[in-house]
Amino acid sequence: MRLFFAIELPAEVQAALGRLKPKDDNRDYRWSDPALLHVTLAFLGEQPELQLEALQRVGETAARAGRSASLRLGAAGSFGSRGSPRVLWVGLDGDLEALSHLQARLDAALREAGFPVEDRPFRAHVTLARRRETARGGAPAGWPPQDRLSHAAFTMDHLTLFQSRLSPRGPTYTPVLQFALGSWRRAHRVL
Ligand code: ATP
Ligand code: MG
C-alpha cells in the first residue's frame, strides 16, 4: 500500500485554498481536488501491509511527543524554476515550531524503524497544483496570489497516516490511522 503521514485540513480551509485555482486554468497545471488538500509530513511510498504495525508505533511515538497547535494559511509560493514552477503551494503560519517539531520527531522515529526518509529539509506547505509533463507555458497568470488567507486558521490536533490510491482519474486518500497529539497538561495545583 502507498502510504504517507500528513496533517489534515478542515473543509473550510480546503475550500479557501480551492478558490485560488485560476478561472482560466490553462491545463498546464493539475490542480488537486480541494477535499484532498493536506500537509505532507513524510511520504513512505509503497509499503507491505505488515509494516502497518511498525508505522502505528512510529505514529504513536511522534504524536506523543507533539502538541496540538494553532496554524493558519500563509503566503503562496512555488517549487522549481521561477518561470515554470513544478509545484504551486500555500505555506503555513502560526505555531510552526510545533509543526516542525512533530515532523522532526516523525522523521527520527521513521529512521529508527528503518523506513526511508528524505534528506531535504522540511518545508511546511500545502501542494495545490503540479505542472503537467506536457506543460508548455509558465505559472498561471496571477500566481502567486497576493491575498493572504490568514483568516483560514485551524487547530492541528492529530497526525494521520493516509493510504493513497492512484488512478487515471486522480488519487484518493484514505485515513488509515489517526494519532492524537499529546496535548494533555498537568492541571495547575492551586492548593
Ligand atoms: P499523483 O502522484 O497522481 O500526482 P499525489 O502526488 O497527490 O498524486 P501521491 O503521489 O500518493 O499522490 O502522494 C501523496 C502525498 O505525498 C502528496 O502530498 C505528495 O505531494 C507527497 N509525495 C509524493 N511523492 C513524494 C516524494 N517522493 N517525496 C515527498 N513527498 C511526496
Ligand atoms: Mg505523487
Side-chain angles (χ1 to χ4, degrees):
M1 48 203 317
R2 186 178 178 90
L3 297 169
F4 64 99
F5 280 104
I7 300 302
E8 296 183 53
L9 295 174
E12 64 275 16
V13 171
Q14 293 175 323
L17 288 167
R19 289 193 285 274
L20 293 180
K21 178 176 173 174
K23 299 285 168 290
D24 57 340
D25 176 30
N26 63 9
R27 309 289 300 157
D28 277 351
Y29 285 79
R30 198 157 38 85
W31 290 77
S32 293
D33 175 351
L36 297 181
L37 297 175
H38 61 272
V39 184
T40 306
L41 296 189
F43 179 71
L44 299 160
E46 198 60 38
Q47 295 290 334
E49 202 172 328
L50 53 79
Q51 290 285 39
L52 277 181
E53 245 176 78
L55 288 170
Q56 174 163 357
R57 284 192 296 273
V58 163
E60 282 168 1
T61 302
R64 206 181 305 124
R67 61 180 157 88
S68 68
S70 253
L71 297 175
R72 56 184 187 275
L73 297 177
S78 57
F79 292 143
S81 76
R82 194 176 274 263
S84 51
R86 226 171 352 92
V87 172
L88 310 180
W89 49 258
V90 165
L92 296 170
D93 269 332
D95 192 352
L96 293 180
E97 201 188 309
L99 182 62
S100 306
H101 185 251
L102 176 63
Q103 196 278 338
R105 290 297 186 128
L106 183 60
D107 197 89
L110 284 169
R111 208 180 285 268
E112 192 162 327
F115 289 95
V117 292
E118 283 206 73
D119 285 329
R120 298 186 283 196
F122 173 64
R123 290 180 63 186
H125 66 277
V126 183
T127 294
L128 301 187
R130 298 186 183 81
R131 188 177 165 83
R132 291 181 197 271
E133 299 281 334
T134 53
R136 287 155 165 267
W143 189 269
Q146 292 308 307
D147 36 328
R148 288 197 148 244
L149 301 161
S150 46
H151 55 283
F154 60 101
T155 302
M156 163 180 91
D157 60 5
H158 67 282
L159 168 68
T160 303
L161 178 67
F162 277 103
Q163 176 172 16
S164 165
R165 292 187 182 86
L166 302 181
S167 92
R169 301 203 326 281
T172 57
Y173 305 143
T174 314
V176 179
L177 296 169
Q178 291 168 321
F179 308 91
L181 299 182
S183 63
W184 67 277
R185 295 211 184 101
R186 194 177 300 279
H188 191 67
R189 272 193 105 111
V190 285
L191 293 178

